[in-house]
Amino acid sequence: MDFLLQLITDPVAFWNSHTLLISQIGINGILASSMFVVLYSGQLSLAAPGFMAIGAYTAVLMDLYLHTPLALNIATGTLLAGVVGVVVGLPVLRLRGVFLAIATIGFIEALSLGVILNLPITGEGLGLKNPNADPLGGIYIVLVSMAVVVFLLWRLTKGRLGFAWSAIRQDELAALSQGIDVARYKLIAFVVSAILAGFAGGLESHLNFFVDPNEYGVPRTVQVLTFAVLGGSGNVFGPVVGALFLTTLPYVFQQAGDYIGVVSGVILILVIIFRPQGIVGRGGFAFVKPGWWPRAQVRASSTG
Amino acid sequence: MGQQILNAIFIGSIYALFAVGYTLVFGVLDILNLAHSAVFMLGAAVTYTLVVNHGQSFWVACAVGIVVAALMGLVIEYVCLRPLRRRQAPPIAALISTIGLALIIVAAIEQGRPGTLFAWLWLDGANPVTMPPGSFPNPTWHVAGLTLEASKLAIIPISIALMLLLGYVMRFTQVGRGLRAVAENPRAARLMGIDVDRMISLTLIISSALGGLAGILFGVALGDISPYIGRDSVEVRGLAVIVLGGMGSIPGAVLGGYLLGFIEVLAVVLLGSNVRAGVAFAALFLMLVLRPQGLFGAQLREKI
Amino acid sequence: MRRVGLVSVLVAAVIAGACGSAGGGGTTTNTYNGKTIKLGAVLSITGAGGVYGPQSRDGMNLAVDQINKAGGVNGATIALTVKDDASDKAQSATVAQTMIQSDQDLALLGPTLSNSAVAVHPLAESLKTPILAVSTTGINIVPNCNFPNTTPCKYVFRDSLGEETAIPDNIKSYAADAHPATGVLLVAQDDKFSSDGGKIVQDTVGTYNINLLKTIKFNKAEADLSPYVTQAVQLHPDVIFITSLGGIPAKIMTEARKQGWQGQFLGGNGFNTATVSKNAGAAGLGARSASAWYLGNSFPSNAEFVTAFKTAYGHDPDQFAAQGFAAIKIIADAAKRANLTFSDLPGDRDKLRSAMETVNIQTPLGPFQFTSNHDVKQTVWIIKMDGSGGFTLVHEIKAS
């Protein structure tokens, strides 16, 4: 509990000595926002770590080989993630629910195991060293970015895009019959999510001296999903709150130390059963009923 | 080359056995039970700890391991699934609560050291362990330049027998019919007097027992038992298998398992070890995009 | 905890002032009396590195205990906090920062894994805090912790024998004994420790006329290594090189023996712990590696260390425990000579750093000194697995 004590009694010192942690919260907040966009539009996409990887590697490689300024590196990484987002997003448009989830898992695993681990330029299994990282200074960029991202998304959800996404999430066919171009809006959501994840990845690479290919697999995607679930994905602040809570959890409960896995699991189960709208959501479920999660779509002709 | 084919068959059998449990739950409940990989690991862990720390005979330990896994299936039903069904939650909620339970199980085993809360269940903390040599009969033969190991060979008849048994049960018994009815339409099944809750519990028990057994075979034959074998070895591959084979289809899971085993070993032999897993997931992604119902699933129908 | 720390230092200073003068003349030892030397260790107690972290921790705690019971460092007690980084690089970095800036530890030890060290060491360097690595043996740990930058890191040290020394010594010794002609290398490509070791193997084999037939790469999380082992075995090499750590060496050895291969296993630091020897069992009999430490080594401080460790923990120490123990001794010795003020943390850290460079003490690893690169200079032990969970000595190679 000393962690919280210091936060309350001496915020300045807390800020100074926990810059890495605060930066990590910021990054996780942007990631959670990326998750928010796809969930809000009714797509269970788990592809965020893959786009993060694209953002991170691009930014660091540009710095190592082209010596271009940081802003350009991150911007390029983000853009590239968006492009790949289109390439991946198009074919998976017609997949729903758990199929989309599995396809995106396939994507991130194929990317990290098939591509990153085999391209010499990425340092293969060893990852990339990033000697120009600035773990302590990056905090301002990260926090400002997170604020901007959250604000932009908030505006988006209040506008036409948000309305369309919401309609699609609740009932895709009804939305279609209302004249909403479902495919286009879903793709937009997917690509926006990819861009945000790529941006988070690029930022994160600036904070670490090392880009590690092992960071971008299934455990990472489960972590990001948990932010959204815990915080509630009914509005843009939910996942950010979830990210804040879960990133600091191991530090608040240092006594729990070893048992952190048990605690996280228990929290997940309790939240999803008793308060599924998450910390920030309103009553009921943040993503509405089975309408967009079709049942009985795949049946073997016999199960025997 | 012959040895590599044998390798493919062994690992394919494990994947198949594991995937059958996965696909059974998806077929009946439309839920992806992500605690399945933890149950896989639990079967192996319990067997190990009984033999090494409590001095039981190998066969007793195996039997208990399977029973514990089956009971864990009940836990999954009562803790993760039933409360959500009562609240009419969308399937994604069940996905998440099973993720939570998986975290708890893995963390509990990981913490198992003398003197800690879960000491009675201990492996060796996070370390991988092996069944001590001599704890079970494992004659090895060298025939025609191939190495044949009893423990690995045993996997094949065991797996096939179980899958045939399961097929028989599903098709020809009352219980099987009940399960299939629930799979088709739980509401109608209830109206016909079938105790849906009981059928679901049965599904979880069977599925988890199979998963636990797969874990025992894996740990024993491949000599690797650690808290992470579920997550690292089979969790995502299991997804690939059921996608390839068709979700909800038991024969599909079986064939998918062997198919994946062969694809992986072929990738190692032809393309070099680097791309092994990447190939599997690329195949998964392509299958979902081109033929989402897998090899044996029925055609995806758009709901009107 | 800065407020609490400051208060306790003030209180201690007052008490020391009140009764310290009873000891006689105003020597530097008086300013240490009653003070606390705060050290922080970031180790992998859980996760992949969990095979090694606990041993390092136990060795360190034993040393802290012994030193404090014998009167501390000139009267100052050592307070060691050990925190788990769960083998996660990001957590390692965050924990390290907390220890440096929030807990205000004088110096750090660890982290366990080379993967984490890549993130933590440059951080400690930029925050000007001495950090002593106790188990990282990869390349580019010292002196260029921020590779590819070539500026040497002033605050990073290590007491764990590097693979650049260990692996070539091992190969050289075996080549002299048995003159192998061919070898195959199995390496976990996504693990820095294993990859570094693999590179060193590749660079060394030519010198001893061993033809490296193939380098087989796999991913460390894969449970089923049979296809890779089959590939290796089918080439009929004299030697199989295994540079991985954790559960992998045992699996490869067991599988290779099952497939009928009779040749020699040569490994890196990953072999050097009882868990690996035990898991490999009979399959590992004769597998050789170079170790920074050997249970039965004849250095004077070793026997007492082994006995004390067994009494405290109930089992034999291993190389990692010995390196952890030695690390505390090293820091304690440096602290004694550093003229610490206990009131100027940045200044104290710098003084400790300089004092560390001139350490020259007896440890269970033998006589210990740092090279000008803050690396290790010590005897190397060539050991082999005895097939039942332990090791026997093959050769002893003195430091040159």
Side-chain angles (χ1 to χ4, degrees):
Chain A
M1 289 308 176
D2 343 310
F3 180 83
L4 286 178
L5 265 172
Q6 190 188 31
L7 174 61
I8 301 173
T9 56
D10 196 351
V12 177
F14 181 87
W15 174 269
N16 284 333
S17 59
H18 288 91
T19 36
L20 279 180
L21 180 62
I22 298 175
S23 305
Q24 194 64 41
I25 295 176
I27 303 269
N28 285 343
I30 300 179
L31 276 176
S33 306
S34 155
M35 199 66 190
F36 164 75
V37 173
V38 275
L39 285 181
Y40 195 70
S41 62
Q43 304 178 78
L44 183 56
S45 157
L46 298 177
F51 297 118
M52 279 185 79
I54 295 176
Y57 275 100
T58 311
V60 174
L61 282 173
M62 283 183 69
D63 178 54
L64 286 179
Y65 292 100
L66 298 177
H67 305 293
T68 37
L70 179 68
L72 183 62
N73 298 337
I74 295 186
T76 315
T78 309
L79 215 58
L80 193 58
V83 169
V84 176
V86 175
V87 170
V88 171
L90 274 173
V92 300
L93 270 180
R94 61 190 181 124
L95 294 177
R96 307 273 170 73
V98 69
F99 296 99
L100 177 62
I102 298 179
T104 47
I105 290 181
F107 161 65
I108 60 178
E109 292 282 299
L111 180 69
S112 94
L113 296 173
V115 175
I116 294 179
L117 282 181
N118 294 302
L119 277 183
I121 197 177
T122 62
E124 294 189 2
L126 296 183
L128 273 184
K129 293 256 337 194
N130 181 18
N132 294 326
D134 186 11
L136 302 175
I139 185 176
Y140 300 107
I141 310 178
V142 169
L143 287 181
V144 167
S145 305
M146 185 179 88
V148 169
V149 162
V150 169
F151 176 73
L152 283 177
L153 281 183
W154 182 68
R155 294 297 307 163
L156 274 181
T157 55
K158 296 280 180 239
R160 198 179 57 172
L161 264 180
F163 172 76
W165 286 339
S166 216
I168 295 173
R169 181 184 80 237
Q170 295 182 29
D171 190 333
E172 210 169 302
L173 284 165
L176 196 57
S177 67
Q178 282 181 324
I180 297 179
D181 186 347
V182 168
R184 184 162 145 245
Y185 284 108
K186 275 171 73 167
L187 188 63
I188 292 178
F190 194 87
V191 173
V192 167
S193 159
I195 288 178
L196 287 177
F199 182 52
L203 279 179
E204 191 182 46
S205 71
H206 181 60
L207 296 179
N208 290 319
F209 289 100
F210 175 50
V211 180
D212 184 352
N214 297 316
E215 299 270 301
Y216 302 115
V218 173
R220 194 75 193 261
T221 200
V222 168
Q223 188 194 36
V224 177
L225 180 65
T226 316
F227 297 154
V229 167
L230 182 62
S233 52
N235 67 66
V236 70
F237 298 103
V240 175
V241 167
L244 171 68
F245 188 78
L246 285 172
T247 313
T248 51
L249 190 66
Y251 298 93
V252 175
F253 289 104
Q254 260 293 335
Q255 283 85 315
D258 291 341
Y259 296 102
I260 211 66
V262 177
V263 171
S264 309
V266 169
I267 288 181
L268 261 184
I269 295 182
L270 288 178
V271 166
I272 204 66
I273 294 178
F274 296 111
R275 198 183 157 85
Q277 67 273 34
I279 297 176
V280 179
R282 285 178 283 274
F285 275 84
F287 14 87
V288 188
K289 295 266 329 279
W292 61 275
W293 185 291
R295 253 198 69 121
Q297 285 223 338
V298 174
R299 272 291 163 268
S301 44
S302 75
T303 47
Chain B
M1 191 60 203
Q3 189 68 42
Q4 296 286 31
I5 293 184
L6 280 177
N7 289 337
I9 296 181
F10 299 142
I11 200 67
S13 305
I14 304 256
Y15 291 160
L17 202 56
F18 180 80
V20 166
Y22 242 165
T23 210
L24 188 62
V25 171
F26 189 83
V28 173
L29 291 171
D30 267 334
I31 284 171
L32 209 50
N33 169 21
L34 288 179
H36 196 51
S37 55
V39 171
F40 171 89
M41 182 271 292
L42 191 63
V46 168
T47 306
Y48 174 85
T49 193
L50 283 174
V51 168
V52 171
N53 298 321
H54 301 277
Q56 298 299 320
S57 94
F58 175 72
W59 307 106
V60 168
C62 279
V64 175
I66 296 176
V67 167
V68 169
L71 287 176
M72 190 52 77
L74 270 183
V75 170
I76 295 176
E77 156 64 1
Y78 280 102
V79 171
C80 299
L81 302 181
R82 189 167 296 191
L84 291 173
R85 273 205 316 279
R86 294 284 181 268
R87 290 168 171 76
Q88 296 179 320
I92 186 183
L95 189 85
I96 292 172
S97 71
T98 55
I99 291 179
L101 187 63
L103 282 176
I104 295 176
I105 297 176
V106 172
I109 303 282
E110 199 183 25
Q111 290 318 308
R113 270 183 292 267
T116 63
L117 191 56
F118 297 101
W120 49 271
L121 185 58
W122 91 76
L123 295 180
D124 188 8
N127 305 344
V129 294
T130 315
M131 296 296 287
S135 50
F136 59 93
N138 191 15
T140 308
W141 305 281
H142 294 273
V143 172
L146 301 173
T147 305
L148 300 171
E149 224 189 308
S151 62
K152 283 193 185 164
L153 284 178
I155 298 177
I156 303 178
I158 293 177
S159 316
I160 294 184
L162 282 171
M163 294 181 237
L164 287 176
L165 181 64
L166 190 64
Y168 176 82
V169 164
M170 290 301 278
R171 179 170 277 202
F172 295 115
T173 66
Q174 183 85 341
V175 166
R177 274 194 285 274
L179 286 172
R180 280 187 287 142
V182 173
E184 274 298 319
N185 189 333
R187 224 167 285 164
R190 189 172 287 125
L191 289 174
M192 288 201 291
I194 295 176
D195 183 347
V196 172
D197 279 344
R198 205 167 122 230
M199 286 295 137
I200 292 181
S201 298
L202 196 57
T203 308
L204 260 311
I205 291 177
I206 298 176
S207 156
S208 301
L210 286 175
L213 177 63
I216 294 175
L217 289 172
F218 180 90
V220 164
L222 289 170
D224 184 27
I225 303 173
S226 84
Y228 311 114
I229 53 176
R231 189 192 71 202
D232 291 338
S233 311
V234 285
E235 179 167 50
V236 190
R237 287 188 172 90
L239 287 179
V241 167
I242 60 178
V243 163
L244 286 175
M247 297 177 65
S249 157
I250 293 180
V254 173
L255 249 81
Y258 286 104
L259 188 59
L260 186 66
F262 272 94
I263 291 180
E264 286 198 342
V265 171
L266 268 176
V268 170
V269 170
L270 293 178
L271 300 174
S273 36
N274 310 0
V275 293
R276 174 183 189 173
V279 163
F281 297 113
L284 159 72
F285 188 81
L286 283 175
M287 180 62 90
L288 274 175
V289 167
L290 299 173
R291 192 187 156 89
Q293 67 271 33
L295 295 172
F296 289 96
Q299 198 71 23
L300 273 177
R301 290 183 303 275
E302 283 289 343
K303 270 200 339 205
I304 304 297
Chain C
M1 295 308 286
R2 201 174 60 170
R3 294 241 170 112
V4 177
L6 204 51
V7 167
S8 73
V9 165
L10 284 172
V11 169
V14 167
I15 296 178
C19 30
S21 49
T27 57
T28 40
T29 49
N30 276 350
T31 65
Y32 278 50
N33 231 326
K35 302 287 202 327
T36 313
I37 296 177
K38 290 175 59 170
L39 300 176
V42 48
L43 300 173
S44 301
I45 309 289
T46 57
V51 187
Y52 308 105
Q55 289 277 6
S56 305
R57 174 198 59 194
D58 291 346
M60 289 180 199
N61 280 333
L62 184 66
V64 169
D65 230 25
Q66 282 190 352
I67 294 178
N68 283 343
K69 284 205 177 93
V73 176
N74 289 343
T77 42
I78 302 181
L80 172 69
T81 318
V82 175
K83 288 201 182 148
D84 181 19
D85 70 356
S87 306
D88 174 58
K89 149 172 94 56
Q91 199 168 321
S92 210
T94 339
V95 167
Q97 187 194 17
T98 321
M99 285 179 168
I100 295 175
Q101 297 189 301
S102 179
D103 301 343
Q104 311 226 308
D105 291 330
L106 181 64
L108 255 49
L109 298 117
T112 302
L113 294 175
S114 296
N115 271 338
S116 307
V118 170
V120 171
H121 287 179
L123 182 68
E125 174 77 7
S126 65
L127 290 174
K128 300 201 167 37
T129 306
I131 183 164
L132 177 53
V134 296
S135 55
T136 42
T137 55
I139 47 189
N140 298 327
I141 301 285
V142 287
N144 45 352
C145 70
N146 213 358
F147 180 83
N149 267 345
T150 48
T151 328
C153 294
K154 300 198 316 176
Y155 289 85
V156 182
F157 296 77
R158 80 163 160 200
D159 80 342
S160 37
L161 182 72
E163 294 286 33
E164 298 120 84
T165 319
I167 290 181
D169 276 355
N170 188 29
I171 296 179
K172 172 172 167 187
S173 137
Y174 184 70
D177 287 347
H179 310 292
T182 54
V184 169
L185 168 65
L186 282 156
V187 62
Q189 61 173 349
D190 56 345
D191 176 56
K192 174 173 165 56
F193 174 85
S194 186
S195 273
D196 284 351
K199 219 174 302 174
I200 297 173
V201 168
Q202 289 171 330
D203 290 340
T204 314
V205 281
T207 323
Y208 301 103
N209 295 321
I210 304 177
N211 180 14
L212 196 61
L213 299 172
K214 196 170 164 75
T215 300
I216 301 177
K217 303 188 197 174
F218 56 90
N219 293 331
K220 69 182 175 205
E222 289 189 68
D224 178 32
L225 299 175
S226 335
Y228 307 109
V229 176
T230 305
Q231 277 191 322
V233 164
Q234 283 173 343
L235 292 167
H236 304 294
D238 293 326
V239 173
I240 288 186
F241 298 97
I242 307 173
T243 56
S244 291
L245 42 68
I248 294 174
K251 277 196 331 207
I252 295 178
M253 293 195 271
T254 321
E255 187 61 34
R257 292 292 183 234
K258 277 189 197 157
Q259 294 190 17
W261 187 74
Q262 309 286 4
Q264 174 72 34
F265 295 113
L266 291 179
N269 264 301
F271 279 20
N272 297 343
T273 163
T275 316
V276 176
S277 181
K278 195 173 60 154
N279 282 347
L285 177 64
R288 283 159 73 137
S289 54
S291 174
W293 178 83
Y294 169 64
L295 185 68
N297 85 44
S298 48
F299 290 124
S301 22
N302 187 47
E304 344 167 311
F305 162 66
V306 174
T307 322
F309 192 93
K310 267 170 84 161
T311 317
Y313 298 108
H315 60 95
D316 283 338
D318 68 1
Q319 168 186 296
F320 299 92
Q323 287 165 338
F325 185 90
I328 296 287
K329 292 276 189 180
I330 292 168
I331 294 186
D333 177 77
K336 191 184 293 202
R337 293 177 291 111
N339 282 337
L340 301 174
T341 63
F342 293 99
S343 52
D344 166 26
L345 188 58
D348 278 354
R349 283 174 174 160
D350 210 47
K351 288 187 180 159
L352 184 70
R353 185 198 67 79
S354 313
M356 278 173 79
E357 286 178 342
T358 52
V359 159
N360 188 348
I361 56 171
Q362 285 291 339
T363 66
L365 304 172
F368 186 95
Q369 280 182 285
F370 286 114
T371 65
S372 54
N373 279 338
H374 294 181
D375 207 341
V376 161
K377 189 155 124 161
Q378 60 159 98
T379 307
V380 174
W381 311 86
I382 307 290
I383 56 177
K384 66 179 185 197
M385 295 188 192
D386 65 6
S388 41
F391 299 89
T392 54
L393 183 63
V394 181
H395 291 303
E396 176 186 332
I397 303 180
K398 296 243 194 298
S400 45

